Amino acid sequence: MTLNPLFVSLALAGAALLGARQLLRWGLAPTATVAGTQPGELGLHARSVHLNGPNGLRLFAWYLPPLSQTSGAPAVALMHGWGGNASTLLPAAQALHAAGYAVLLPESRNHGRSSRDDHSSLPRFADDLDRALDWLAAQPEVNPQRLAALGHSVGGAAVLLVASRRPGLAAAVSVGAFAHPEQVMRRWLAAYRVPYWPLGWLVNRYVEWVIGTRFSRIAPLATLAQARCPVLLLHGAQDTTVPLADAQALIAQRGTAHARLLALDGTHEAFADPAAAEQAVLGFLAGQMAG
């Protein structure tokens, strides 16, 4: 019996697509971990809180009230990246807290101690960050007009998405954000030797269907240009996970947005001189909060 070559090709393509789909489902559901430095190890007295998420989900967070007991303190919500948790940005939280900020470190769904969901995505990171900012704004010791957001990697992209649609945000800091999800997926697929055309292209369209929106609508290349507040982009000059070229593309296409890029020696996970990064962030936020 001779098999039809077209039938064989379609069968192989179907099998490959199913395999890619399973790989994708695994990739969109990160393994939650609570590993990392605890606030007490840095001398921080954090309060564990649970925020109300969508559809009954609960989002875990650490809250550091401002050192001053008077009302009207500035506040920052810090969003970790993919596979991270509240401990990821604790050093940044420590510097901000010492400077007088109230700080909230939420864990996005499927991360850390937060509720599990069927998948994670950039829009869901942004939705969870919005809930964190809403919670911060409602605290009696916080001035809701002096509210900022800082995020790393996917969290940094989520900060830009939030900044493009949330009125009243005073400032946004995006660290190590990618330029476009399509590029991120292409790099991810290449790491697993999945050819982009046609299989990778179909996988990306499937991801858009799962997350409920097109990449072009949520890409930092689009959202930075729509930012409603001043934005600081921080990027490691030696970042191999998200190349510096992504940040350069972002700032080149910022349009009329009030944004600037600061590239410092470092990788995707850490800057060579953390103190320099902290001072850049503190200086930027101080200028925006004063305004």
Side-chain angles (χ1 to χ4, degrees):
M1 176 180 177
T2 303
L3 295 176
N4 187 309
L6 178 59
F7 174 80
V8 173
S9 298
L10 290 174
L12 290 174
L17 188 57
L18 284 175
R21 181 180 176 184
Q22 286 301 113
L23 181 65
L24 186 62
R25 289 177 66 86
W26 169 80
L28 290 177
T31 301
T33 175
V34 296
T37 305
Q38 301 299 298
E41 297 176 51
L42 299 179
L44 299 172
H45 301 288
R47 195 168 89 223
S48 295
V49 299
H50 288 85
L51 319 180
N52 292 323
N55 303 317
L57 298 178
R58 302 280 279 171
L59 305 177
F60 176 86
W62 280 326
Y63 179 53
L64 298 168
L67 293 172
S68 173
Q69 296 303 308
T70 58
S71 60
V76 187
L78 308 184
M79 180 55 79
H80 59 80
W82 194 271
N85 58 42
S87 68
T88 306
L89 294 174
L90 261 181
Q94 184 179 33
L96 288 162
H97 190 244
Y101 291 84
V103 182
L104 186 68
L105 296 121
E107 293 178 335
S108 187
R109 69 192 80 178
N110 292 322
H111 291 74
R113 286 140 288 210
S114 290
S115 297
R116 308 276 80 80
D117 206 350
D118 59 340
H119 73 273
S120 289
S121 65
L122 168 53
R124 288 188 168 185
F125 264 78
D127 289 346
D128 294 344
L129 177 57
D130 261 325
R131 303 234 174 201
L133 289 166
D134 289 343
W135 188 92
L136 260 181
Q139 303 313 300
E141 63 272 20
V142 168
N143 181 345
Q145 303 304 315
R146 304 176 72 197
L147 206 58
L150 180 152
H152 172 250
S153 195
V154 176
V159 163
L160 297 178
L161 181 52
V162 168
S164 73
R165 68 191 189 192
R166 185 183 181 96
L169 197 64
V173 180
S174 178
V175 184
F178 51 81
H180 202 292
E182 189 85 20
Q183 298 169 356
V184 174
M185 289 299 298
R186 290 188 73 154
R187 290 193 286 258
W188 183 77
L189 290 165
Y192 287 95
R193 293 184 170 83
V194 178
Y196 180 72
W197 187 260
L199 195 56
W201 184 88
L202 290 171
V203 166
N204 281 353
R205 305 293 72 79
Y206 174 73
V207 173
E208 288 181 325
W209 177 76
V210 169
I211 67 176
T213 188
R214 291 190 176 277
F215 289 160
S216 58
R217 295 185 60 187
I218 59 172
L221 275 174
T223 57
L224 174 59
Q226 302 169 34
R228 301 184 177 192
C229 65
V231 177
L232 173 64
L233 301 177
L234 271 181
H235 213 96
Q238 293 78 37
D239 191 336
T240 56
T241 302
V242 178
L244 178 59
D246 277 40
Q248 292 168 334
L250 285 175
I251 205 67
Q253 298 190 42
R254 68 186 180 280
T256 58
H258 182 185
R260 67 184 182 93
L261 167 64
L262 177 60
L264 299 173
D265 284 338
T267 64
H268 190 64
E269 301 302 334
F271 291 107
D273 185 356
E278 290 172 2
Q279 289 306 309
V281 170
L282 290 174
F284 169 73
L285 290 180
Q288 306 314 316
M289 296 298 183

